[in-house]
Amino acid sequence: MRAIFLVGLLLSAAPACSSAGNGGSRNLVDAAPVGGDDSGSIEAGTDAAVDADIDGHMLADAAADADAGRFADSSAPNDASTSDATDAQCEAATCSCEQPPYQSVTTGAAHTCALRSDGTIACWGWSGDGQATPPAGTFLGVSAGYGHTCGVKSDNTVACWGLNDNGQAMPPPGTFLSVSAGRAHTCGIKSDNTVACWGLNDNGQATPPSMGTFLSVSAGYDHTCAVKSDHTLPCWGRNDSGDAVAPAGTFLSVLAGTSYSCAVTSAHLLVCWGDNTNGQRDTPAGRFLSVSTGMGYHTCAVRTDHTVTCWGDHTDGKATVPCL
């Protein structure tokens, strides 16, 4: 994993609230979704969250100084007064800040991306390989991997950007319902509900089951999990920490991370399995709409009241939801 040394640059470029503990919760203001659908998701149902809309605002170029291009931040304008106000606000013991009604957000190793209501993508965090620099155009969903990002475009084709050393950013032709970017492989649900994967396959992580239809798929570090049409949950690939051994039961969604995985059960509870080095598997209590496991040992989830909470590794601000 790439070490991040320029943390000060990232923090100065991204006015974001901090709160006690490793993560924190953020209220989603005016979170009523478009079209009357009351669902909210962090890669909910599918990793690309095809059905989700996000109301955010434009990317601010946070990489204009010495290390230009390596950090990208879309959370706030580059304005000193805004930064000062945010800093003052976040000195409080509990920070509650206004933010867009994020309905879909996806966490990578050291970057995060989200879908705005106009279909464009906003990303922030580390962008040394261009993973936090999305292309122009409109998208139905987005998924952040270790060093690359992929999205389902409005025409249902897949576009990827960032690191491509194993072909993980070279999607096949065809149309897709969703896409999931892992460490060095990517998988997607095709329009016929079968799974297609590409990129590194040294542990069988890019070899999906040949039989059955699927609702969603999630590509992790070296393993992959998917929700089948009957809501059961198969996983495949590397299994050193039990990360590819899913629990029994029925599930709404699943996210495969770095040697661990988390899923939302049919009862809207969270369950995680595999490695727990940084507490990334320690799920909070409550009912949830969706969950997202990062490549950098952190996890975020959307509660049923449309607030976001994150836990686990907090370096580089990846477990801090940005303010307006």
Side-chain angles (χ1 to χ4, degrees), residues 245-316:
V245 180
T250 57
F251 299 86
L252 301 176
S253 63
V254 63
L255 270 296
T258 304
S259 300
Y260 80 109
S261 302
C262 293
V264 179
T265 72
S266 297
H268 290 278
L269 304 177
L270 290 184
V271 59
C272 297
W273 59 95
D275 181 60
N276 196 36
T277 302
N278 291 277
Q280 69 272 20
R281 206 184 65 190
D282 296 335
T283 59
R287 289 167 53 83
F288 293 83
L289 296 173
S290 60
V291 63
S292 178
T293 55
M295 291 288 117
Y297 299 101
H298 70 296
T299 310
C300 294
V302 174
R303 296 181 182 272
T304 52
D305 64 358
H306 290 278
T307 59
V308 172
T309 184
C310 298
W311 61 96
D313 182 25
H314 198 269
T315 58
D316 310 314

Side-chain angles (χ1 to χ4, degrees), residues 136-165:
T138 57
F139 291 78
L140 301 174
V142 61
S143 177
Y146 184 87
H148 73 295
T149 308
C150 293
V152 177
K153 301 180 71 174
S154 295
D155 63 0
N156 288 102
T157 59
V158 171
C160 299
W161 56 97
L163 191 64
N164 192 39
D165 54 345

Side-chain angles (χ1 to χ4, degrees), residues 86-110:
T86 303
D87 291 343
Q89 178 189 29
C90 292
E91 288 175 0
T94 301
C95 178
S96 179
C97 62
E98 185 182 6
Q99 63 172 266
Y102 290 122
Q103 299 291 324
S104 169
V105 62
T106 171
T107 55

